[in-house]
Amino acid sequence: MAAVLDGQAGTLASVWSGGHLNAPVPATQLRVLFVVERYGSINVTGVATELGALLSSASRLCGRLEATGLLERVPGPDRRAITLRLTPRGADLLADLRRVRRGALAEVLAGMDTDDRAALRLGLERFHEAVVRQRGEAPLGFSMPA
């Protein structure tokens, strides 16, 4: 079952992430945007931790995103720490990518029988519930271009 799911999940992931291939920023920078979006505001150290990257690499990625107007650095609560947050342009980019992704998924789903769509939804819901039971909490999400 795991081998079958592995192959089929790859197909789902391919359709799901296909719109990200045309994103105006590289996939690594896109991951940063999704991490910042997930947290609302986060410091560069947090971004590095989420990406499993060196602090210097995360800082450079954030600098590039700031230069393109997708991310902004703002003083933190204690004024010593700098936090990152999406600009309206960055939020719009992620919303546009989601629209493309959902459109691609809807196109495939439209070609499926109603009962098959219902079974897929139920199966994915049960899979999510099993993950929550196993881990004790819902996963934060996929930080790859999502």
Side-chain angles (χ1 to χ4, degrees), residues 15-30:
V15 172
W16 181 73
S17 65
H20 300 147
L21 298 175
N22 298 319
V25 297
T28 307
Q29 290 180 23
L30 204 51

Side-chain angles (χ1 to χ4, degrees), residues 1-70:
M1 180 65 176
V4 170
L5 181 59
D6 184 48
Q8 293 170 350
T11 301
L12 175 62
S14 175
V15 172
W16 181 73
S17 65
H20 300 147
L21 298 175
N22 298 319
V25 297
T28 307
Q29 290 180 23
L30 204 51
R31 286 184 66 206
V32 172
L33 294 175
F34 280 110
V35 167
V36 173
E37 180 191 50
R38 182 183 324 140
Y39 286 93
S41 68
I42 187 172
N43 62 24
V44 176
T45 302
V47 170
T49 300
E50 283 290 315
L51 297 179
L54 296 172
L55 183 58
S56 59
S57 297
S59 182
R60 279 192 302 277
L61 286 168
C62 293
R64 289 183 194 122
L65 289 165
E66 184 179 23
T68 60
L70 299 172

Side-chain angles (χ1 to χ4, degrees), residues 41-44 72-77 81-85:
S41 68
I42 187 172
N43 62 24
V44 176
E72 63 184 350
R73 296 176 193 247
V74 294
I82 301 295
T83 59
L84 305 163
R85 67 178 178 209

